[in-house]
Amino acid sequence: MENFTYNSFTLQVEGLDIPKVYVYPTFFFFFFSYLFIMVVNVGIVVLVFLDKNLHQPMYLLFCNLPFNDVLGHSIMVPRLMVDILLPPSKRLISYYECVVQAFTTHMFGTTSHTVLMIMAFDRYVAICNPLRYAAVMTNRMVLKLTASAWGVAFVLVGVLLGLTVRLNRCRSLITNPYCDNASLFKLSCESVFINNVYGLTFTVVLFSASIGTMVLTYTRITVVCLTSRNKSLNSKALKTCSTHLVLYLILIISGFIVIILHRFPQYSDYRKLSAILFHIVPCSLNPIIYGVQSAEICNRMLRLTMTKIITKETIHASVDSSTTVLLVMMAAYRSGLQMAL
């Protein structure tokens, strides 16, 4: 018979089933991936906000992605690394912390879609209406688009978790490496029909809006590029749009893998791994792909690096010249002293 623990505020996380031999290699893999994601994403955000030349709608809208990546990664991965080093019986988490983690996890996934949608709108205006771009994509419009992306995600995820929090709990085992909505409402012995209906609606609406936005905007962009004889415009469209599409494909494929594996309980280990990689893979690739492809960001990073190198060389040169002058003065002083004697 199943043991029931009603409304327990201490939950146990099932976590990953890792052989002892691979515990530390797995831990360091997550540790270095976390450091890399934090440094690269924070670095791009700081670079964009400090460099006035990068205060353009395209880069300001993109900053939402690394900020979202840092937020989603920081809530999930450090806790996961701690759990890896603990035996299964000691992988405990409070109910409130679990709810916060689930909310942040779903915000990460949902906001990734909504941000890429507003970035698609920016590319649409830039390519299809280049003469009106400055008039349309003002600072106020950038703020509106950013607020819309985060606001829509907040409302959708807030309702999703609100429906789950209302349920009484009779179990205390989170069958996942971290807390999400599915693992939370599985703790309840009550009917979760409404949760399932809303969860399905949530997924269908989000993916339909996301895919629909991409199809509509890029169909229009493709038509404009094929009918236009402006090589400069077509080159710009190819560079910026290909980067955006690659980011979107990485996100959509990662998300579909997690959703599909949720339907096959026999592949629970693969589902857990895919759920973790859904955070790590896009967060690692987004800044690399966008940073490398963007000429402006590359140029600013190269200039910053070259400035530091030149500064160091100047310091070393001045130190060397000062040392030479000092040695010459000392030699002259000694020769003068000898002559005096």
PDB file of all heavy atoms in Angstrom, residues 5 21 35 63 81 85 94-95 114 125 132 157 159 179 188 203 208 214 233 235 246-247 289 300 305-306 310 323:
ATOM      1  N   THR A   5       1.357  11.132   3.018  1.00  0.00           N
ATOM      2  CA  THR A   5       1.751  12.171   3.962  1.00  0.00           C
ATOM      3  C   THR A   5       1.005  13.428   3.556  1.00  0.00           C
ATOM      4  O   THR A   5       1.303  14.019   2.522  1.00  0.00           O
ATOM      5  CB  THR A   5       3.270  12.415   3.912  1.00  0.00           C
ATOM      6  OG1 THR A   5       3.947  11.177   4.135  1.00  0.00           O
ATOM      7  CG2 THR A   5       3.688  13.418   4.962  1.00  0.00           C
ATOM      8  N   VAL A  21      30.734   6.198  -9.461  1.00  0.00           N
ATOM      9  CA  VAL A  21      31.929   6.535 -10.229  1.00  0.00           C
ATOM     10  C   VAL A  21      31.766   7.816 -11.034  1.00  0.00           C
ATOM     11  O   VAL A  21      32.747   8.509 -11.305  1.00  0.00           O
ATOM     12  CB  VAL A  21      32.226   5.334 -11.146  1.00  0.00           C
ATOM     13  CG1 VAL A  21      32.641   5.659 -12.518  1.00  0.00           C
ATOM     14  CG2 VAL A  21      33.258   4.476 -10.514  1.00  0.00           C
ATOM     15  N   LEU A  35      29.193  28.034 -14.563  1.00  0.00           N
ATOM     16  CA  LEU A  35      30.125  29.171 -14.600  1.00  0.00           C
ATOM     17  C   LEU A  35      30.175  29.783 -15.993  1.00  0.00           C
ATOM     18  O   LEU A  35      30.145  31.008 -16.151  1.00  0.00           O
ATOM     19  CB  LEU A  35      31.526  28.712 -14.198  1.00  0.00           C
ATOM     20  CG  LEU A  35      31.803  28.509 -12.705  1.00  0.00           C
ATOM     21  CD1 LEU A  35      33.260  28.110 -12.511  1.00  0.00           C
ATOM     22  CD2 LEU A  35      31.495  29.769 -11.909  1.00  0.00           C
ATOM     23  N   CYS A  63      18.883  41.264 -25.046  1.00  0.00           N
ATOM     24  CA  CYS A  63      19.337  41.203 -23.652  1.00  0.00           C
ATOM     25  C   CYS A  63      18.340  40.493 -22.741  1.00  0.00           C
ATOM     26  O   CYS A  63      18.712  40.023 -21.660  1.00  0.00           O
ATOM     27  CB  CYS A  63      19.611  42.617 -23.123  1.00  0.00           C
ATOM     28  SG  CYS A  63      21.197  43.275 -23.630  1.00  0.00           S
ATOM     29  N   MET A  81      23.224  20.566  -8.314  1.00  0.00           N
ATOM     30  CA  MET A  81      24.592  20.158  -7.984  1.00  0.00           C
ATOM     31  C   MET A  81      24.699  19.682  -6.537  1.00  0.00           C
ATOM     32  O   MET A  81      25.403  18.715  -6.247  1.00  0.00           O
ATOM     33  CB  MET A  81      25.554  21.317  -8.243  1.00  0.00           C
ATOM     34  CG  MET A  81      25.736  21.653  -9.716  1.00  0.00           C
ATOM     35  SD  MET A  81      27.113  22.794 -10.028  1.00  0.00           S
ATOM     36  CE  MET A  81      26.512  24.266  -9.204  1.00  0.00           C
ATOM     37  N   LEU A  85      25.485  15.399  -4.901  1.00  0.00           N
ATOM     38  CA  LEU A  85      26.455  14.955  -3.894  1.00  0.00           C
ATOM     39  C   LEU A  85      25.800  14.305  -2.683  1.00  0.00           C
ATOM     40  O   LEU A  85      26.489  13.735  -1.841  1.00  0.00           O
ATOM     41  CB  LEU A  85      27.299  16.145  -3.433  1.00  0.00           C
ATOM     42  CG  LEU A  85      28.123  16.853  -4.516  1.00  0.00           C
ATOM     43  CD1 LEU A  85      28.859  18.041  -3.917  1.00  0.00           C
ATOM     44  CD2 LEU A  85      29.103  15.894  -5.175  1.00  0.00           C
ATOM     45  N   SER A  94      11.991  22.265   0.771  1.00  0.00           N
ATOM     46  CA  SER A  94      10.743  22.748   1.360  1.00  0.00           C
ATOM     47  C   SER A  94       9.701  22.962   0.258  1.00  0.00           C
ATOM     48  O   SER A  94      10.045  23.201  -0.910  1.00  0.00           O
ATOM     49  CB  SER A  94      10.969  24.048   2.122  1.00  0.00           C
ATOM     50  OG  SER A  94      11.179  25.112   1.217  1.00  0.00           O
ATOM     51  N   TYR A  95       8.446  22.877   0.616  1.00  0.00           N
ATOM     52  CA  TYR A  95       7.361  23.015  -0.360  1.00  0.00           C
ATOM     53  C   TYR A  95       7.396  24.393  -1.016  1.00  0.00           C
ATOM     54  O   TYR A  95       7.232  24.512  -2.235  1.00  0.00           O
ATOM     55  CB  TYR A  95       6.016  22.785   0.331  1.00  0.00           C
ATOM     56  CG  TYR A  95       4.833  23.039  -0.565  1.00  0.00           C
ATOM     57  CD1 TYR A  95       4.542  22.171  -1.619  1.00  0.00           C
ATOM     58  CD2 TYR A  95       4.011  24.148  -0.376  1.00  0.00           C
ATOM     59  CE1 TYR A  95       3.451  22.407  -2.456  1.00  0.00           C
ATOM     60  CE2 TYR A  95       2.931  24.389  -1.203  1.00  0.00           C
ATOM     61  CZ  TYR A  95       2.652  23.514  -2.235  1.00  0.00           C
ATOM     62  OH  TYR A  95       1.580  23.752  -3.068  1.00  0.00           O
ATOM     63  N   THR A 114       8.401  33.957 -25.698  1.00  0.00           N
ATOM     64  CA  THR A 114       7.839  35.293 -25.919  1.00  0.00           C
ATOM     65  C   THR A 114       8.916  36.303 -26.326  1.00  0.00           C
ATOM     66  O   THR A 114       8.652  37.191 -27.144  1.00  0.00           O
ATOM     67  CB  THR A 114       7.111  35.796 -24.654  1.00  0.00           C
ATOM     68  OG1 THR A 114       7.997  35.744 -23.522  1.00  0.00           O
ATOM     69  CG2 THR A 114       5.885  34.939 -24.353  1.00  0.00           C
ATOM     70  N   VAL A 125      10.064  44.307 -38.912  1.00  0.00           N
ATOM     71  CA  VAL A 125      10.022  45.751 -39.183  1.00  0.00           C
ATOM     72  C   VAL A 125      11.306  46.196 -39.872  1.00  0.00           C
ATOM     73  O   VAL A 125      11.279  46.993 -40.823  1.00  0.00           O
ATOM     74  CB  VAL A 125       9.795  46.549 -37.880  1.00  0.00           C
ATOM     75  CG1 VAL A 125       9.822  48.052 -38.165  1.00  0.00           C
ATOM     76  CG2 VAL A 125       8.481  46.160 -37.230  1.00  0.00           C
ATOM     77  N   ARG A 132      10.664  52.953 -42.043  1.00  0.00           N
ATOM     78  CA  ARG A 132       9.854  53.306 -40.871  1.00  0.00           C
ATOM     79  C   ARG A 132      10.407  52.673 -39.594  1.00  0.00           C
ATOM     80  O   ARG A 132       9.794  52.793 -38.543  1.00  0.00           O
ATOM     81  CB  ARG A 132       8.401  52.862 -41.085  1.00  0.00           C
ATOM     82  CG  ARG A 132       7.709  53.535 -42.256  1.00  0.00           C
ATOM     83  CD  ARG A 132       6.219  53.188 -42.321  1.00  0.00           C
ATOM     84  NE  ARG A 132       5.524  53.665 -41.124  1.00  0.00           N
ATOM     85  CZ  ARG A 132       4.903  52.859 -40.241  1.00  0.00           C
ATOM     86  NH1 ARG A 132       4.918  51.550 -40.415  1.00  0.00           N
ATOM     87  NH2 ARG A 132       4.289  53.363 -39.201  1.00  0.00           N
ATOM     88  N   VAL A 157       2.065  31.525 -16.487  1.00  0.00           N
ATOM     89  CA  VAL A 157       2.706  30.644 -15.498  1.00  0.00           C
ATOM     90  C   VAL A 157       2.055  30.828 -14.123  1.00  0.00           C
ATOM     91  O   VAL A 157       1.898  29.861 -13.366  1.00  0.00           O
ATOM     92  CB  VAL A 157       4.220  30.910 -15.427  1.00  0.00           C
ATOM     93  CG1 VAL A 157       4.868  30.078 -14.320  1.00  0.00           C
ATOM     94  CG2 VAL A 157       4.868  30.606 -16.770  1.00  0.00           C
ATOM     95  N   VAL A 159      -1.107  31.488 -13.415  1.00  0.00           N
ATOM     96  CA  VAL A 159      -2.350  30.704 -13.392  1.00  0.00           C
ATOM     97  C   VAL A 159      -2.030  29.215 -13.295  1.00  0.00           C
ATOM     98  O   VAL A 159      -2.679  28.458 -12.552  1.00  0.00           O
ATOM     99  CB  VAL A 159      -3.196  30.992 -14.645  1.00  0.00           C
ATOM    100  CG1 VAL A 159      -4.415  30.076 -14.706  1.00  0.00           C
ATOM    101  CG2 VAL A 159      -3.629  32.454 -14.673  1.00  0.00           C
ATOM    102  N   CYS A 179      11.984  20.780  -9.311  1.00  0.00           N
ATOM    103  CA  CYS A 179      10.538  20.966  -9.210  1.00  0.00           C
ATOM    104  C   CYS A 179       9.981  21.635 -10.459  1.00  0.00           C
ATOM    105  O   CYS A 179      10.527  22.629 -10.943  1.00  0.00           O
ATOM    106  CB  CYS A 179      10.199  21.835  -7.995  1.00  0.00           C
ATOM    107  SG  CYS A 179      10.619  21.063  -6.421  1.00  0.00           S
ATOM    108  N   SER A 188      -0.725  15.452  -5.399  1.00  0.00           N
ATOM    109  CA  SER A 188      -2.099  15.513  -4.904  1.00  0.00           C
ATOM    110  C   SER A 188      -2.858  14.227  -5.204  1.00  0.00           C
ATOM    111  O   SER A 188      -2.630  13.562  -6.222  1.00  0.00           O
ATOM    112  CB  SER A 188      -2.828  16.698  -5.545  1.00  0.00           C
ATOM    113  OG  SER A 188      -4.173  16.720  -5.138  1.00  0.00           O
ATOM    114  N   THR A 203       0.177  24.850 -23.213  1.00  0.00           N
ATOM    115  CA  THR A 203       1.191  24.375 -24.151  1.00  0.00           C
ATOM    116  C   THR A 203       0.790  24.652 -25.595  1.00  0.00           C
ATOM    117  O   THR A 203       1.602  25.134 -26.396  1.00  0.00           O
ATOM    118  CB  THR A 203       1.437  22.865 -23.957  1.00  0.00           C
ATOM    119  OG1 THR A 203       1.776  22.609 -22.582  1.00  0.00           O
ATOM    120  CG2 THR A 203       2.548  22.370 -24.852  1.00  0.00           C
ATOM    121  N   SER A 208       1.568  27.390 -30.427  1.00  0.00           N
ATOM    122  CA  SER A 208       0.864  27.874 -31.618  1.00  0.00           C
ATOM    123  C   SER A 208       1.216  29.331 -31.901  1.00  0.00           C
ATOM    124  O   SER A 208       1.502  29.712 -33.047  1.00  0.00           O
ATOM    125  CB  SER A 208      -0.648  27.727 -31.448  1.00  0.00           C
ATOM    126  OG  SER A 208      -1.002  26.376 -31.294  1.00  0.00           O
ATOM    127  N   MET A 214       6.606  33.011 -35.962  1.00  0.00           N
ATOM    128  CA  MET A 214       7.788  32.761 -36.790  1.00  0.00           C
ATOM    129  C   MET A 214       7.415  32.528 -38.251  1.00  0.00           C
ATOM    130  O   MET A 214       8.056  33.053 -39.163  1.00  0.00           O
ATOM    131  CB  MET A 214       8.568  31.544 -36.250  1.00  0.00           C
ATOM    132  CG  MET A 214       9.077  31.716 -34.843  1.00  0.00           C
ATOM    133  SD  MET A 214      10.183  33.149 -34.676  1.00  0.00           S
ATOM    134  CE  MET A 214      10.072  33.430 -32.912  1.00  0.00           C
ATOM    135  N   LEU A 233      20.414  44.870 -48.117  1.00  0.00           N
ATOM    136  CA  LEU A 233      19.273  44.464 -47.292  1.00  0.00           C
ATOM    137  C   LEU A 233      19.202  42.952 -47.156  1.00  0.00           C
ATOM    138  O   LEU A 233      18.977  42.420 -46.066  1.00  0.00           O
ATOM    139  CB  LEU A 233      17.974  44.997 -47.911  1.00  0.00           C
ATOM    140  CG  LEU A 233      16.674  44.620 -47.196  1.00  0.00           C
ATOM    141  CD1 LEU A 233      16.603  45.298 -45.828  1.00  0.00           C
ATOM    142  CD2 LEU A 233      15.458  45.013 -48.031  1.00  0.00           C
ATOM    143  N   SER A 235      21.660  40.804 -47.458  1.00  0.00           N
ATOM    144  CA  SER A 235      22.775  40.331 -46.642  1.00  0.00           C
ATOM    145  C   SER A 235      22.499  40.537 -45.160  1.00  0.00           C
ATOM    146  O   SER A 235      22.758  39.658 -44.330  1.00  0.00           O
ATOM    147  CB  SER A 235      24.048  41.076 -47.048  1.00  0.00           C
ATOM    148  OG  SER A 235      25.120  40.710 -46.226  1.00  0.00           O
ATOM    149  N   VAL A 246      18.096  30.081 -35.714  1.00  0.00           N
ATOM    150  CA  VAL A 246      18.863  29.018 -35.062  1.00  0.00           C
ATOM    151  C   VAL A 246      18.546  28.973 -33.568  1.00  0.00           C
ATOM    152  O   VAL A 246      18.335  27.895 -32.991  1.00  0.00           O
ATOM    153  CB  VAL A 246      20.383  29.216 -35.289  1.00  0.00           C
ATOM    154  CG1 VAL A 246      21.182  28.281 -34.397  1.00  0.00           C
ATOM    155  CG2 VAL A 246      20.728  28.970 -36.749  1.00  0.00           C
ATOM    156  N   LEU A 247      18.497  30.145 -32.916  1.00  0.00           N
ATOM    157  CA  LEU A 247      18.136  30.201 -31.495  1.00  0.00           C
ATOM    158  C   LEU A 247      16.752  29.613 -31.269  1.00  0.00           C
ATOM    159  O   LEU A 247      16.530  28.866 -30.306  1.00  0.00           O
ATOM    160  CB  LEU A 247      18.169  31.647 -30.990  1.00  0.00           C
ATOM    161  CG  LEU A 247      19.495  32.405 -31.048  1.00  0.00           C
ATOM    162  CD1 LEU A 247      19.336  33.779 -30.406  1.00  0.00           C
ATOM    163  CD2 LEU A 247      20.602  31.633 -30.371  1.00  0.00           C
ATOM    164  N   ILE A 289      26.082  31.886 -30.267  1.00  0.00           N
ATOM    165  CA  ILE A 289      25.563  32.034 -31.631  1.00  0.00           C
ATOM    166  C   ILE A 289      25.286  33.497 -31.939  1.00  0.00           C
ATOM    167  O   ILE A 289      25.711  34.021 -32.981  1.00  0.00           O
ATOM    168  CB  ILE A 289      24.287  31.194 -31.817  1.00  0.00           C
ATOM    169  CG1 ILE A 289      24.617  29.702 -31.711  1.00  0.00           C
ATOM    170  CG2 ILE A 289      23.629  31.498 -33.153  1.00  0.00           C
ATOM    171  CD1 ILE A 289      23.420  28.802 -31.668  1.00  0.00           C
ATOM    172  N   ARG A 300      32.913  45.127 -30.712  1.00  0.00           N
ATOM    173  CA  ARG A 300      33.055  45.743 -29.387  1.00  0.00           C
ATOM    174  C   ARG A 300      33.905  44.876 -28.463  1.00  0.00           C
ATOM    175  O   ARG A 300      34.739  45.377 -27.703  1.00  0.00           O
ATOM    176  CB  ARG A 300      31.672  45.968 -28.753  1.00  0.00           C
ATOM    177  CG  ARG A 300      30.787  46.911 -29.559  1.00  0.00           C
ATOM    178  CD  ARG A 300      31.422  48.271 -29.730  1.00  0.00           C
ATOM    179  NE  ARG A 300      30.710  49.049 -30.741  1.00  0.00           N
ATOM    180  CZ  ARG A 300      31.129  50.184 -31.242  1.00  0.00           C
ATOM    181  NH1 ARG A 300      32.278  50.691 -30.846  1.00  0.00           N
ATOM    182  NH2 ARG A 300      30.429  50.824 -32.161  1.00  0.00           N
ATOM    183  N   THR A 305      39.055  43.869 -25.827  1.00  0.00           N
ATOM    184  CA  THR A 305      40.205  42.990 -25.596  1.00  0.00           C
ATOM    185  C   THR A 305      41.504  43.656 -26.013  1.00  0.00           C
ATOM    186  O   THR A 305      42.512  43.614 -25.297  1.00  0.00           O
ATOM    187  CB  THR A 305      40.024  41.675 -26.380  1.00  0.00           C
ATOM    188  OG1 THR A 305      38.781  41.079 -26.015  1.00  0.00           O
ATOM    189  CG2 THR A 305      41.154  40.709 -26.066  1.00  0.00           C
ATOM    190  N   MET A 306      41.488  44.287 -27.213  1.00  0.00           N
ATOM    191  CA  MET A 306      42.689  44.956 -27.706  1.00  0.00           C
ATOM    192  C   MET A 306      43.091  46.122 -26.808  1.00  0.00           C
ATOM    193  O   MET A 306      44.274  46.355 -26.575  1.00  0.00           O
ATOM    194  CB  MET A 306      42.450  45.457 -29.136  1.00  0.00           C
ATOM    195  CG  MET A 306      42.327  44.344 -30.159  1.00  0.00           C
ATOM    196  SD  MET A 306      43.792  43.287 -30.222  1.00  0.00           S
ATOM    197  CE  MET A 306      45.029  44.455 -30.782  1.00  0.00           C
ATOM    198  N   ILE A 310      46.709  46.476 -25.134  1.00  0.00           N
ATOM    199  CA  ILE A 310      47.531  47.667 -25.357  1.00  0.00           C
ATOM    200  C   ILE A 310      47.875  48.343 -24.030  1.00  0.00           C
ATOM    201  O   ILE A 310      48.997  48.792 -23.795  1.00  0.00           O
ATOM    202  CB  ILE A 310      46.805  48.655 -26.297  1.00  0.00           C
ATOM    203  CG1 ILE A 310      46.737  48.060 -27.703  1.00  0.00           C
ATOM    204  CG2 ILE A 310      47.521  50.000 -26.331  1.00  0.00           C
ATOM    205  CD1 ILE A 310      45.841  48.827 -28.655  1.00  0.00           C
ATOM    206  N   THR A 323      62.813  51.507 -15.551  1.00  0.00           N
ATOM    207  CA  THR A 323      63.903  50.701 -15.003  1.00  0.00           C
ATOM    208  C   THR A 323      65.217  51.031 -15.692  1.00  0.00           C
ATOM    209  O   THR A 323      66.269  51.153 -15.055  1.00  0.00           O
ATOM    210  CB  THR A 323      63.579  49.197 -15.182  1.00  0.00           C
ATOM    211  OG1 THR A 323      62.326  48.926 -14.591  1.00  0.00           O
ATOM    212  CG2 THR A 323      64.658  48.334 -14.539  1.00  0.00           C
TER     213      THR A 323
END
